Amino acid sequence: MNDSERLKFVIDGSGLSVRAFAKYIGVSTPQNLYDVLKGKHAISKKLAEAINVKYLNASISWLLTGIGDNPEVENVSNISAIIDECQNDNIVMSRDVFELLKSQSETITSQQKTIESLAISNEKVVSYLKEKEDNKSNI
C-alpha cells in the first residue's frame, strides 16, 4: 500500500469526507491531504502524528512506511455530524460533552457489531437445526 492508499484507507474507515477528516485530526487545511491522495506528496511525520492522536491503531510507522497490519479505524462520521451541526448553530460544546458523545458512539458501534455477529450465529444455528431435522426425517 502506498502513502495515498494508506491515507485513503484511514479516511474511508473514518466515514468522514477529506475536509471533515482534516478538521477532525486538527489539520488547518485539507489541501495537504488532497496532495497525498493525488500522490503529489508523501505522508509527513507531522500528518502521521496528527492522525495517530485520533487513531491510536494507525501507528506512525504504518502510516509512514506501510509496514505492519492495516489498522482498525473507528468510524466517527456520526460524531462529526453532531459537532458540525452544533458549530453551524453556534452551539459551544465542551470537551466533556464531546468525549461523552464519542464514548456513546463507540458503545453503539460495538453493540451493532455484536448484533450482526449474533444474527450470523443465529442463522447458522437455524440452518444446522433444519439440516438435522431433514436428516432425521429421511431415516
Side-chain angles (χ1 to χ4, degrees):
M1 217 182 256
N2 63 32
D3 286 29
S4 174
E5 293 167 330
R6 286 192 303 278
L7 181 59
K8 183 175 180 351
F9 177 85
V10 175
I11 293 172
D12 287 350
S14 74
L16 301 174
S17 67
V18 176
R19 183 175 301 281
F21 183 81
K23 188 175 183 179
Y24 183 69
I25 64 169
V27 173
S28 59
T29 175
Q31 189 57 51
N32 187 28
L33 300 179
Y34 286 118
D35 288 346
V36 173
L37 291 170
K38 291 177 185 174
K40 292 182 178 180
H41 300 292
I43 296 174
S44 68
K45 185 173 182 186
K46 184 177 178 181
L47 177 57
E49 289 170 348
I51 294 170
N52 177 255
V53 166
K54 295 290 185 177
Y55 299 100
L56 298 177
N57 291 338
S59 73
I60 294 171
S61 63
W62 179 82
L63 288 163
L64 294 173
T65 67
I67 296 173
D69 294 331
N70 294 351
E72 187 173 317
V73 180
E74 174 190 9
N75 184 313
V76 294
S77 59
N78 52 349
I79 296 170
S80 178
I82 292 168
I83 292 169
D84 287 346
E85 187 175 321
C86 288
Q87 289 175 341
N88 290 340
D89 294 338
N90 293 321
I91 298 171
V92 177
M93 184 183 319
S94 72
R95 185 74 181 160
D96 290 341
V97 171
F98 173 78
E99 290 301 326
L100 177 62
L101 288 172
K102 182 177 178 185
S103 173
Q104 289 176 341
S105 176
E106 290 168 355
T107 299
I108 290 168
T109 300
S110 173
Q111 289 173 342
Q112 287 171 332
K113 288 178 184 177
T114 300
I115 290 168
E116 290 169 5
S117 176
L118 289 171
I120 290 169
S121 296
N122 187 45
E123 288 174 9
K124 289 179 181 178
V125 168
V126 168
S127 175
Y128 171 78
L129 292 173
K130 184 176 181 184
E131 182 179 310
K132 192 171 179 178
E133 185 65 31
D134 289 345
N135 288 340
K136 194 175 182 181
S137 66
N138 289 337
I139 296 179

